[in-house]
Amino acid sequence: MMNHKQILKRMFRTFLILIGSIFSMLIVVLFLPIQSDWKWSILLILFVVLFFIAMYYRPRIEYYSTRSRLDELMQTSNPPIACPIDVASDPWITNLQGMGFILNKEFRDYYLAHRIHVDVSNIVTKRGILEVIVFIRNAEIQFTDERFNRVIRQIEEEYAKTKNKYHHYSIIIYKSGDSMNDEIKKAVDEVYFSKSNHRFITIIHAYAIRKTKQIYFLHSDTKSPNLFYQEAVKVLKETLGIESK
């Protein structure tokens, strides 16, 4: 059975062959000794076919490209690492505030902190990133809880009233527990990284293991899906006082 990277290669090769064939046909039609009306009709049909080929293959190529990068990340993922600062402790909160995060969204089961990170000297942050940190207090709440999206939209509306501009999104969601099992690890590994209209969105999950004072999140010293994921990992480590390599 082929893996995602093999499927991607085969699909991309087929896409290039089809595109090449259509362009070859376009060139041939341009030089055919036929009436102009017929020639332009054929060219129009070929352009329509080209459009539908691109519409069919583009999302599929993007999907398998993302899956193959995720596969590489998971294959080289680091194990849980030592966590100098306990998640949700007073030193952690102090650290967040020192990094410029605003803690103004507190609820019974979770709370959020946010900031707009701009650094014009950094290609990743020069257009601004809205960075949101979520800590889940209630162990029954999943990393993908829809309530987080609603609150983040409220944060967006608040920033829309100010002159603070940003273009990309980075969301880090923390949970904690005494130990970690395969089910928890699987949920933590369900990260998200995507590009839409030149806007990068990154979501990373992190699980703090209280017994061993470690934290697990999907990252690798050798692989990263993109620079924005790498930047989010850097921020996650910084919130916990972990030195980046």
Side-chain angles (χ1 to χ4, degrees):
M1 184 176 179
M2 290 189 296
N3 58 36
H4 293 116
K5 190 171 186 178
Q6 291 171 328
I7 295 173
L8 174 64
K9 287 182 177 179
R10 188 178 70 172
M11 184 172 290
F12 190 66
R13 184 168 57 248
T14 303
F15 175 70
L16 290 179
I17 291 171
L18 290 172
I19 295 296
S21 300
I22 295 296
F23 273 106
S24 298
M25 293 170 66
L26 286 169
I27 294 172
V28 170
V29 171
L30 283 173
F31 291 98
L32 283 177
I34 59 176
Q35 293 182 1
S36 295
D37 290 346
W38 281 102
K39 183 179 292 187
W40 288 111
S41 296
I42 296 171
L43 288 174
L44 178 60
I45 292 172
L46 289 174
F47 274 115
V48 170
V49 172
L50 183 64
F51 172 78
F52 279 104
I53 288 174
M55 290 293 292
Y56 176 83
Y57 276 96
R58 180 179 175 181
R60 288 162 176 79
I61 289 174
E62 289 179 351
Y63 170 79
Y64 284 107
S65 175
T66 298
R67 292 301 308 181
S68 63
R69 283 180 286 161
L70 180 58
D71 289 344
E72 289 181 340
L73 181 61
M74 295 184 70
Q75 288 165 7
T76 60
S77 176
N78 292 338
I81 58 178
C83 189
I85 300 174
D86 291 335
V87 176
S89 65
D90 289 340
W92 186 66
I93 298 296
T94 300
N95 206 29
L96 287 179
Q97 292 173 325
M99 294 171 63
F101 280 94
I102 301 170
L103 286 81
N104 66 349
K105 292 290 178 183
E106 186 167 347
F107 302 89
R108 183 183 63 184
D109 294 328
Y110 61 92
Y111 61 75
L112 292 88
H114 57 87
R115 72 174 182 179
I116 293 179
H117 186 187
V118 180
D119 181 357
V120 295
S121 65
N122 187 331
I123 190 173
V124 174
T125 59
K126 67 179 182 179
R127 298 189 67 183
I129 302 178
L130 173 58
E131 296 175 339
V132 179
I133 287 179
V134 181
F135 173 70
I136 299 174
R137 290 171 167 171
N138 185 343
E140 300 300 318
I141 295 178
Q142 303 301 313
F143 285 107
T144 54
D145 195 289
E146 177 59 29
R147 283 175 287 185
F148 305 149
N149 292 331
R150 292 199 296 267
V151 178
I152 290 170
R153 283 195 290 270
Q154 292 174 8
I155 294 172
E156 291 174 330
E157 292 171 1
E158 291 174 7
Y159 277 119
K161 300 174 185 177
T162 70
K163 295 182 179 180
N164 296 309
K165 303 297 181 183
Y166 58 91
H167 192 72
H168 309 291
Y169 292 78
S170 178
I171 302 168
I172 304 171
I173 305 177
Y174 296 86
K175 286 183 76 171
S176 63
D178 291 332
S179 59
M180 185 175 71
N181 54 35
D182 290 342
E183 182 180 355
I184 293 172
K185 183 180 182 300
K186 182 180 179 181
V188 176
D189 286 345
E190 291 177 356
V191 298
Y192 180 84
F193 47 90
S194 177
K195 179 184 178 183
S196 176
N197 296 325
H198 304 288
R199 172 171 291 175
F200 286 87
I201 302 171
T202 305
I203 302 176
I204 297 181
H205 303 153
Y207 189 80
I209 308 168
R210 289 192 289 261
K211 281 186 177 180
T212 59
K213 293 188 178 298
Q214 291 179 308
I215 190 160
Y216 174 74
F217 54 99
L218 188 60
H219 73 293
S220 167
D221 292 335
T222 58
K223 297 287 184 180
S224 182
N226 55 46
L227 291 175
F228 290 87
Y229 193 94
Q230 189 173 323
E231 179 68 23
V233 167
K234 179 182 175 183
V235 171
L236 191 160
K237 288 182 176 180
E238 189 177 351
T239 66
L240 296 167
I242 300 170
E243 292 186 7
S244 296
K245 295 183 179 179

